[in-house]
Amino acid sequence: MSNSRRQDSSEERARSRRGDGSDETVASSAGGYQSRKFMPNHSWISPPGMHPMVVSYGVIGTYLSYPLVGYGASLPELAPTPTASVSRGGISSTLPSKSYLHIDLGFNLYQDGRQLNPNREQMDTIMSIFPTCYASSIMSPILVLRYHELPPKPWPLTIAGLPVWITKDPKSLPLTIGLPGHALPIVLDAEINLWETPKKETIREIFDELDNRGISAIRVQWLGVRFLAFVKGEPSKGWEGLFPQRVNGILITYVFGDISGSVYAQRAKSPAAGDLDSSNYAPSLRPGMVISSGAGPDQTELLSTSGVCVRSPSGKKYITWASHGFPLGLERVYHPDRHGHYLGEVKKMFWDTDVSLFELNENQHMTYSRQTFNPPGGELVRLKDPFGLHIGESIHMDTAFNGHCEGIVMVIDTVRVPSDEPATPHRYITGIFTYLSDGSDSLANGCCGGPVWMDGREVVGQFRFLSMDNLLCYMPSFAHLIELGYELSEIN
């Protein structure tokens, strides 16, 4: 793209954001161009049912919106590429795809940790493989496909590298937008760039700056191109003039309400159970097996998933597991159920994170591998700092309840909770929200505690719950273990 083209595009985007009555020229689905009038005090005139925070394409024309966050201004456009071989009846067998889960169209809209803007030819190719799709949009980094009637499953997880969300609701959006403020921006010494996850110190500085303005934020999320802050209570009259609009030039918006101080107060949705692998793998143990809390006072037991082996700074070795899988009073761990092998005792519980540790019984002579089940087995290599992730990256999980599934990182989430230590008034809990293939169809009750790893087999955290809207899964990270000096290990 030439410099003049960049300058022209920037000016068009500026007119779009100003809403000053300027004309904007956009590509039309019928070919050529059409001119649309922007009205004062409106960023753009959106198609029916669409929100001005998306880049949308549909049968009524190609509409490009460039909202305050500057999605379009920051997403380089790819050069035209040949279209893939497709059929009108659906996904053709000649389509260059590795599997139904990842559709490869010969171009990639996610490169080097960044989402790229599709050109017209690429968007036409995407829509052509779903002949009953009437409109599509991009809400970074998600490709949204809208239908009058949903297509048959299985659905892909990604198309041309972008995660796909399929819906027949003409107005719904996959991610929370929040409300913008109008006050002077927060200016930090730290460098913050689109698509680069800020450092944890930067996130904590944002909490502090909001405190200084009298804003009681409970959590701050990073979504790749913007921040989202959750605030206690309802907004007062004129709140917009008190809440900053940006942080170092990056948009920040706000969600108000009676929000719990911890995500773990939410009820975990219980998807339909799949085929449970209840095999007894003792004495050769590994991540992803079913484990049991034993029988409680009412003779019920909770089944969850074994995590990874970690080594403390003192050299002690433990296995990670989900705290909520062991109610108070139950501290013995069994595999695969309460009638099976006694594995060991619960030793450390980090209730705020839902990541806790148990120690294997030395008398049982068991081993614990860092290798996951096949396919796609292989050894996990290390614990991964969640602040080193990129929005749009792939994650993996394999449990006895759902087998192997893949997902996409959507949100880096930081919750601030009160601390018991006077010298440290707050503690910070970091997790990730991910989009898993086919939503709840890929999950089953009991996969909580299952370790989650990246393409490079670095372990970032463990599964916790599926959100009530059936879209995103929450996974607490192992950031607190990393801060305490724990490392990935194994027991031979």
Side-chain angles (χ1 to χ4, degrees):
M1 184 183 294
S2 68
N3 290 334
S4 60
R5 170 69 182 277
R6 290 194 186 99
Q7 292 170 357
D8 292 343
S9 298
S10 299
E11 178 57 26
E12 288 177 4
R13 288 189 281 266
R15 291 201 303 268
S16 171
R17 288 194 295 272
R18 284 198 305 265
D20 58 2
S22 304
D23 288 339
E24 184 193 36
T25 301
V26 295
S28 166
S29 62
Y33 292 88
Q34 64 183 23
S35 179
R36 293 188 292 110
K37 190 77 172 180
F38 283 92
M39 305 303 294
N41 301 321
H42 292 78
S43 60
W44 71 309
I45 306 302
S46 64
M50 299 303 295
H51 192 283
M53 213 170 191
V54 294
V55 180
S56 62
Y57 305 78
V59 294
I60 56 176
T62 302
Y63 294 82
L64 301 178
S65 74
Y66 299 97
L68 296 174
V69 74
Y71 291 78
S74 304
L75 304 180
E77 187 176 272
L78 293 177
T81 56
T83 58
S85 173
V86 296
S87 69
R88 277 291 174 189
I91 301 176
S92 169
S93 60
T94 60
L95 195 67
S97 173
K98 296 179 181 178
S99 70
Y100 80 89
L101 205 58
H102 302 284
I103 297 179
D104 182 357
L105 297 177
F107 56 87
N108 193 347
L109 298 176
Y110 184 81
Q111 298 179 15
D112 300 323
R114 294 172 177 267
Q115 176 216 311
L116 306 178
N117 237 5
N119 59 38
R120 172 59 188 278
E121 183 181 357
Q122 291 162 342
M123 207 65 196
D124 285 347
T125 299
I126 290 172
M127 291 194 70
S128 71
I129 68 173
F130 291 99
T132 59
C133 172
Y134 70 85
S136 59
S137 61
I138 293 178
M139 187 177 191
S140 297
I142 303 178
L143 171 66
V144 181
L145 302 179
R146 300 184 187 276
Y147 291 79
H148 295 298
E149 294 296 332
L150 294 177
K153 292 186 177 183
W155 297 340
L157 175 63
T158 67
I159 294 178
L162 297 185
V164 180
W165 186 58
I166 295 176
T167 181
K168 62 179 182 179
D169 186 334
K171 296 183 179 181
S172 64
L173 294 172
L175 298 173
T176 301
I177 293 178
L179 301 172
H182 300 154
L184 292 175
I186 292 174
V187 179
L188 304 177
D189 290 336
E191 182 177 357
I192 307 177
N193 299 311
L194 296 179
W195 298 109
E196 296 179 12
T197 301
K199 296 179 180 179
K200 65 182 178 183
E201 293 82 7
T202 302
I203 299 295
R204 295 176 185 182
E205 282 188 66
I206 294 174
F207 275 106
D208 292 340
E209 289 294 328
L210 293 175
D211 284 342
N212 293 338
R213 301 191 186 201
I215 301 170
S216 299
I218 296 170
R219 66 179 348 126
V220 172
Q221 296 182 341
W222 171 248
L223 292 89
V225 292
R226 59 190 175 100
F227 292 102
L228 187 65
F230 291 74
V231 182
K232 291 181 181 178
E234 298 300 325
S236 59
K237 184 177 181 180
W239 69 270
E240 299 95 332
L242 303 175
F243 282 58
Q245 183 186 62
R246 295 176 180 271
V247 178
N248 283 23
I250 305 294
L251 179 71
I252 181 170
T253 56
Y254 305 89
V255 176
F256 296 88
D258 183 14
I259 306 166
S260 169
S262 172
V263 294
Y264 313 109
Q266 297 187 38
R267 183 189 302 276
K269 182 169 181 176
S270 300
D275 295 326
L276 171 65
D277 176 12
S278 58
S279 305
N280 191 333
Y281 291 95
S284 302
L285 310 175
R286 66 183 62 217
M289 306 179 310
V290 58
I291 58 176
S292 167
S293 63
D298 59 356
Q299 295 305 302
T300 60
E301 69 177 333
L302 292 179
L303 301 180
S304 56
T305 299
S306 62
V308 295
C309 178
V310 294
R311 183 180 66 246
S312 73
S314 66
K316 296 276 288 184
K317 294 184 178 181
Y318 304 94
I319 311 302
T320 61
W321 55 278
S323 304
H324 75 277
F326 286 72
L328 286 174
L330 298 181
E331 298 183 350
R332 294 169 68 88
V333 184
Y334 299 88
H335 165 69
D337 56 33
R338 62 184 178 178
H339 303 296
H341 270 74
Y342 164 59
L343 298 188
E345 297 277 340
V346 173
K347 294 298 182 181
K348 297 179 182 291
M349 304 188 78
F350 307 100
W351 284 105
D352 286 329
T353 66
D354 198 52
V355 178
S356 294
L357 307 174
F358 73 86
E359 187 176 17
L360 288 183
N361 183 356
E362 295 180 355
N363 297 326
Q364 295 288 337
H365 306 293
M366 292 174 287
T367 62
Y368 205 96
S369 173
R370 62 171 73 195
Q371 186 168 15
T372 60
F373 287 96
N374 288 300
E379 289 195 348
L380 303 172
V381 295
R382 66 180 63 85
L383 301 183
K384 173 79 171 181
D385 186 341
F387 292 99
L389 300 176
H390 287 89
I391 302 300
E393 274 194 278
S394 298
I395 59 99
H396 303 264
M397 181 176 72
D398 192 333
T399 77
F401 298 86
N402 66 283
H404 176 257
C405 64
E406 297 181 42
I408 304 294
V409 177
M410 292 293 177
V411 178
I412 308 297
D413 178 78
T414 301
V415 177
R416 187 174 67 173
V417 297
S419 172
D420 296 329
E421 301 177 11
T424 308
H426 298 105
R427 288 183 296 108
Y428 299 87
I429 303 165
T430 304
I432 59 176
F433 282 92
T434 63
Y435 180 43
L436 291 182
S437 52
D438 258 5
S440 63
D441 290 353
S442 299
L443 304 173
N445 226 4
C447 53
C448 296
V452 177
W453 65 90
M454 315 307 296
D455 282 343
R457 305 199 66 78
E458 299 169 301
V459 188
V460 69
Q462 67 185 34
F463 181 86
R464 173 61 178 93
F465 65 75
L466 178 68
S467 62
M468 298 301 259
D469 59 10
N470 206 34
L471 175 62
L472 299 184
C473 299
Y474 181 77
M475 300 174 177
S477 76
F478 289 153
H480 66 293
L481 293 180
I482 295 173
E483 290 184 0
L484 292 172
Y486 285 81
E487 297 178 348
L488 188 69
S489 189
E490 58 192 349
I491 298 174
N492 298 315

